[in-house]
Amino acid sequence: MIIIIDMPKRLVIKDIEKCVGCGLCMFACSRRHGEIGNDYSGILPVSLSGFERGATVIFCRACKEPPCAQVCPTNALTPRKGGGVVYREDLCIGCKNCMEACTIGAIFERRNGKPALCIHCGYCANYCPHGVLGFEEVEA
Amino acid sequence: MKVLKIDLSKYRYEVEDRKDLFEEWIGGTGVAVQLLKEEMDLRADPLSEENVIVFAIGPFTSAYPLASKTVAMFKSPLTGNLGESHAGGRTATAIANAGYGAIVIKGKSKKPIYIVVHNDKVYFRDARVIWNIADSLIVGRIIAERESGRGIRTVMRIGGAGNKLVRYACVTTETYRHFGRLGLGAVFGSKNLKGLVVIGRGSRKIPDRHKYKEVYEKILKLALESDAMKKYHLLGTAVNVNPLNQLKALPTKNLKATRFEKAEEISGEALAEHNLGRRVACSHCPIACIHIAALRIPYETEPYFYKTIMISYDYELIYALGSMLGIGSRDGLLKLIHKVEVYGLDAMSTGVCLAWATEALERGLITEKETIVKLSFGDVDAYLKAIDYIVKQPNEFYRVLAQGVEKASEVYGGKEFALAFGKNEMPGYHVGYATHIGYLIGLRHSHLDNAGYSLDQKLKEIPKPQEIVDRLVKEEEWRQVLSSLVVCFFARGVYKPEIVAEAFEALGYETSPEELKMKGEKIYREKLRLKIKMGFDPDSLRLPKRIFETECFHGKLKEEYVKEALRYWKERYVLPLV
């Protein structure tokens, strides 16, 4: 008998130096939530102190021990198989502890005060025109 | 759609819901014309407190790729008439995500300030300390480090040229994109406004997810896989240098020639091979047409010390600061582009002004007493100094040159080789009749109004002037739709009328290609009417003799043909609106 084990996947950087800062990933992320814009986006395209030095994207790097989940008082954020967190918005009280706790600043504040963060669905990687983002299997 | 109105005289702001405006006039250009009409005394002095600036975006901004432009409208201090300038960068999506369709800026601050719009709040910040910083890159960096909103904001600002009210100063955004033409930078300067930051975090519901996804994918696929944008994918706009040179259409040395012996050196191919260091994109554009050259410059005195500067280049800059000035070295060209970037000058106007000054000096209309430095075609160092003087204005001559080539030639002579159309300095094409008629009748006097340079290359034989005018106006009318949607003109091959109608439908608005075309005609007429109310007189359009002397792709142009075209345009399109 062959047992197929579903490996969890995560969003990864293939080559950050290729980023042109177009933000197609950011818009894709909010579209995935049925929205036009960036309020729901868990990925942020930034310049490196001005576009003279190029661009990069900031998003959750799928920590094995996520500090954001550790400081969440309501279990809205819980560790996810394969790294990162599972986010249940209905439990979130908008305390912003998670935003403070994230070492790399990858949790963003929505207009309603609640967090927007990457849940490693991989949708945005389909829209990265320059091969910066990938969606890959990881060891659980 | 909401309109944010900021009054600098009273340090107050208000937000109005103007769904009506956007439903009737789409957005961008269409809406900006109406807002200017509502808000401004059209006879106001462009550098007075009464001038009004409108920034407008469109219904596709943030919704679809390539709708990345912002339209700025104001009264131009260069022409004294309607000013309209478009820029990319992150301005459009920042304004959309902050929740606005347009931002109106009125009045004048008593002291230097910059403004921060953060979603529904507006902050007035003290800019006295940074007011006199002439380097627009440094200004941008200081404001960016001081303010929040990294990644979701735009930082628009002026450099030394705007401070010193050079009539062709630009407003720079995201380091490399510009509201370049017609002097918005001077209008900022006159209002004591050093910068405008917009931070936008927000979104709106997609009405029909299935349909919307389908149209989105279609547009993205067209942009990436069809030939519609191929030119911008590869060498960028700089790809034009070699072909235009071969066509005898590349203005060289103040248009004394249309072939430049060193064109190959400063071509898109050569820049890509030797200097291209990186490419970046405007927000929500997969193309990344912004080509940035890396230039390594040794320190003057210390060995083994280098500075590496990153310089954005495009066709128009290569023309204006390259062939037009006889500059055939890439390093020299890049240094000139960098200088213009630092001060926040319009590159085209600067190049044309310097080219005129060089020829005026050659002919003895002015002397080195006026120019301070000996200008001659090909001399990079002299031009670098002259650009400093345009901004610093150490004597009467440079004070006049800072008002544009039309003004300078009025004062010092040499009108026949002062290359301005409707008082706006010439873009980089001398292809044929449609090119020049296009500059003259285009409502911004820009090559992008109606793309005459492109029509000229397609014409098998020269038709009647009336036909050229009709075709140019038709193109310009459709472009009013694109600039109201704020779709990048480079994506005009993607956003055909049928696709635009589909894209509207997916957002819940019924329209048709026919209705869109009608709106284009209507917006064109409204804009022309606004221009007339601001004092535009088609009879005052001056034809620089030079364009009839120098051979172009169509050979030597005849003045009578162009005059006939202008007569027809006036009768057919202008007079019915007066």
Side-chain angles (χ1 to χ4, degrees):
Chain A
M1 193 175 80
I2 302 166
I3 302 168
I4 299 167
I5 302 169
D6 227 6
M7 295 269 279
K9 286 184 161 186
R10 64 159 289 208
L11 187 67
V12 294
I13 292 287
K14 307 285 278 184
D15 185 352
I16 195 63
E17 296 296 332
K18 285 183 176 170
C19 183
V20 296
C22 69
L24 257 73
C25 52
M26 176 179 80
F27 290 104
C29 188
S30 277
R31 279 204 310 281
R32 179 77 159 162
H33 289 87
E35 295 274 327
I36 291 166
N38 63 0
D39 198 27
Y40 287 76
S41 302
I43 185 164
L44 186 72
V46 298
S47 74
L48 295 166
S49 292
F51 279 102
E52 306 88 292
R53 297 181 179 82
T56 192
V57 278
I58 300 173
F59 63 93
C60 167
R61 56 174 282 100
C63 308
K64 297 284 182 214
E65 286 179 35
C68 58
Q70 252 172 327
V71 298
C72 178
T74 61
N75 281 332
L77 296 176
T78 49
R80 167 186 174 271
K81 199 172 113 188
V85 287
V86 175
Y87 174 42
R88 280 191 56 188
E89 196 184 329
D90 56 337
L91 298 179
C92 175
I93 55 170
C95 71
K96 304 184 183 61
N97 284 357
C98 54
M99 298 171 205
E100 291 281 324
C102 178
T103 314
I104 58 167
I107 303 182
F108 313 103
E109 186 180 344
R110 277 178 43 208
R111 277 213 181 192
N112 67 3
K114 292 189 179 188
L117 77 171
C118 173
I119 53 162
H120 296 277
C121 73
Y123 187 71
C124 61
N126 300 323
Y127 293 92
C128 177
H130 302 291
V132 178
L133 298 171
F135 192 47
E136 287 181 353
E137 291 187 335
V138 287
E139 296 282 339
Chain B
M1 291 271 234
K2 288 183 186 145
V3 175
L4 169 65
K5 295 183 180 172
I6 302 171
D7 186 341
L8 300 179
S9 299
K10 297 189 180 124
Y11 305 110
R12 282 168 62 169
Y13 64 96
E14 55 183 349
V15 178
E16 284 174 13
D17 192 351
R18 294 303 303 271
K19 210 170 149 218
D20 58 314
L21 266 188
F22 287 85
E23 273 174 7
E24 187 166 359
W25 302 103
I26 304 176
T29 297
V31 162
V33 165
Q34 300 304 319
L35 283 170
L36 215 53
K37 261 167 61 183
E38 287 178 14
E39 297 291 335
M40 188 177 166
D41 169 4
L42 299 177
R43 293 279 165 179
D45 181 317
L47 294 178
S48 72
E49 187 171 352
E50 283 75 39
N51 200 353
V52 172
I53 304 165
V54 178
F55 291 103
I57 56 148
F60 290 1
T61 309
S62 286
Y64 296 111
L66 309 160
S68 307
K69 290 277 187 176
T70 302
V71 169
M73 216 174 262
F74 49 95
K75 194 164 192 184
S76 163
L78 181 65
T79 66
N81 202 272
L82 181 64
E84 180 186 346
S85 192
H86 306 171
R90 290 180 161 184
T91 307
T93 54
I95 293 174
N97 295 337
Y100 305 109
I103 298 176
V104 177
I105 299 173
K106 298 189 276 190
K108 175 183 177 176
S109 175
K110 282 164 210 74
K111 295 274 182 177
I113 55 162
Y114 69 92
I115 307 172
V116 178
V117 177
H118 190 164
N119 287 347
D120 49 0
K121 299 266 195 316
V122 177
Y123 304 92
F124 299 92
R125 304 272 206 241
D126 184 356
R128 286 174 299 174
V129 172
I130 59 170
W131 180 250
N132 281 319
I133 298 177
D135 186 333
S136 72
L137 280 79
I138 303 289
V139 174
R141 224 175 274 166
I142 290 170
I143 294 177
E145 281 173 19
R146 195 158 177 267
E147 300 298 336
S148 66
R150 195 175 170 219
I152 54 169
R153 68 185 173 192
T154 180
V155 182
M156 300 180 243
R157 71 277 188 171
I158 57 170
N163 280 43
K164 297 286 295 220
L165 307 181
V166 176
R167 306 290 175 99
Y168 41 92
C170 72
V171 170
T172 302
T173 183
E174 283 66 79
T175 312
Y176 297 122
R177 296 294 93 182
H178 316 90
F179 294 95
R181 306 232 70 192
L182 299 170
L184 182 60
V187 181
F188 264 49
S190 73
K191 293 185 175 304
N192 278 326
L193 181 61
K194 189 70 176 174
L196 169 61
V197 181
V198 181
I199 307 167
R201 180 123 199 149
S203 57
R204 57 189 202 268
K205 274 249 159 316
I206 300 168
D208 176 349
R209 280 176 84 156
H210 179 72
K211 175 76 189 161
Y212 171 68
K213 187 170 193 290
E214 189 189 307
V215 180
Y216 188 99
E217 307 280 331
K218 193 165 164 182
I219 291 169
L220 190 61
K221 202 167 157 45
L222 274 171
L224 289 170
E225 291 169 22
S226 75
D227 278 347
M229 297 195 73
K230 198 170 167 196
K231 175 165 148 188
Y232 308 102
H233 263 307
L234 304 171
L235 295 174
T237 56
V239 71
N240 285 330
V241 177
N242 277 334
L244 285 171
N245 191 46
Q246 276 148 25
L247 287 179
K248 289 194 197 157
L250 179 67
T252 301
K253 297 175 189 165
N254 202 37
L255 197 58
K256 288 199 274 188
T258 43
R259 272 224 171 128
F260 184 36
E261 67 279 8
K262 293 175 183 159
E264 188 65 51
E265 267 302 292
I266 55 170
S267 66
E269 289 82 351
L271 279 157
E273 187 181 339
H274 300 284
N275 300 87
L276 182 57
R278 162 175 295 135
R279 287 172 58 176
V280 292
C282 294
S283 185
H284 217 162
C285 171
I287 305 299
C289 81
I290 307 168
H291 285 56
I292 302 174
L295 180 65
R296 196 171 82 134
I297 306 173
Y299 286 21
E300 292 81 0
T301 47
E302 290 177 276
Y304 298 106
F305 272 93
Y306 292 91
K307 53 183 181 180
T308 300
I309 47 178
M310 305 298 284
I311 303 154
S312 160
Y313 62 88
D314 265 300
Y315 170 70
E316 299 296 343
L317 290 76
I318 299 172
Y319 137 73
L321 301 169
S323 65
M324 196 64 165
L325 298 179
I327 305 295
S329 86
R330 274 190 311 281
D331 282 11
L333 167 69
L334 290 170
K335 282 180 192 167
L336 286 165
I337 295 177
H338 184 64
K339 181 73 109 182
V340 160
E341 184 81 88
V342 159
Y343 282 132
L345 284 160
D346 174 44
M348 279 186 253
S349 291
T350 305
V352 170
C353 282
L354 290 175
W356 168 83
T358 308
E359 189 169 343
L361 186 64
E362 275 178 357
R363 289 168 177 253
L365 294 176
I366 48 174
T367 66
E368 272 182 66
K369 193 170 149 272
E370 276 80 32
T371 59
I372 306 175
V373 57
K374 186 178 182 309
L375 300 173
S376 67
F377 291 116
D379 186 344
V380 174
D381 290 332
Y383 289 125
L384 286 169
K385 284 189 195 124
I387 294 170
D388 284 333
Y389 295 144
I390 287 175
V391 173
K392 290 177 183 148
Q393 298 160 36
N395 65 12
E396 185 56 23
F397 174 72
Y398 282 103
R399 273 191 290 280
V400 170
L401 198 59
Q403 295 178 49
V405 81
E406 187 78 23
K407 176 77 181 177
S409 61
E410 262 166 35
V411 175
Y412 295 98
K415 277 198 165 206
E416 58 286 6
F417 56 88
L419 291 157
F421 296 84
K423 300 186 188 168
N424 190 20
E425 284 76 16
M426 176 184 173
Y429 308 85
H430 181 53
V431 192
Y433 286 112
T435 303
H436 292 290
I437 296 167
Y439 299 155
L440 289 159
I441 69 172
L443 301 186
R444 298 187 292 155
H445 308 291
S446 152
H447 60 300
L448 289 172
D449 280 330
N450 43 38
Y453 63 97
S454 163
L455 176 58
D456 275 331
Q457 294 173 56
K458 288 176 203 146
L459 291 173
K460 295 261 184 311
E461 52 188 48
I462 311 294
K464 287 216 173 335
Q466 291 82 349
E467 189 190 326
I468 285 200
V469 169
D470 286 336
R471 287 176 71 173
L472 289 171
V473 171
K474 196 158 182 249
E475 177 67 25
E476 186 158 350
E477 284 169 349
W478 174 246
R479 287 183 179 220
Q480 301 316 299
V481 175
L482 294 178
S483 64
S484 298
L485 293 166
V486 298
V487 163
C488 180
F489 283 170
F490 295 166
R492 60 187 178 271
V494 173
Y495 281 94
K496 296 271 171 63
E498 294 70 26
I499 295 267
V500 174
E502 259 187 82
F504 262 115
E505 200 193 325
L507 294 177
Y509 301 96
E510 250 347 286
T511 186
S512 65
E514 292 68 38
E515 192 192 1
L516 287 164
K517 284 179 197 161
M518 266 170 54
K519 285 204 175 186
E521 289 166 25
K522 224 169 83 174
I523 295 167
Y524 176 85
R525 284 199 299 271
E526 281 289 291
K527 195 155 99 179
L528 181 51
R529 214 174 264 135
L530 180 61
K531 228 173 132 65
I532 295 166
K533 280 192 186 137
M534 283 183 169
F536 174 68
D537 173 10
D539 291 333
S540 70
L541 288 170
R542 183 178 65 83
L543 309 179
K545 285 269 176 303
R546 177 58 46 86
I547 63 170
F548 304 110
E549 294 164 354
T550 304
E551 207 180 324
C552 63
F553 178 54
H554 286 176
K556 273 200 182 177
L557 301 179
K558 293 189 184 68
E559 191 167 347
E560 193 36 51
Y561 184 99
V562 179
K563 283 187 169 162
E564 180 57 34
L566 289 178
R567 272 195 294 273
Y568 172 71
W569 180 63
K570 181 182 164 187
E571 219 164 275
R572 167 86 174 73
Y573 296 96
V574 184
L575 289 181
L577 303 180
V578 177

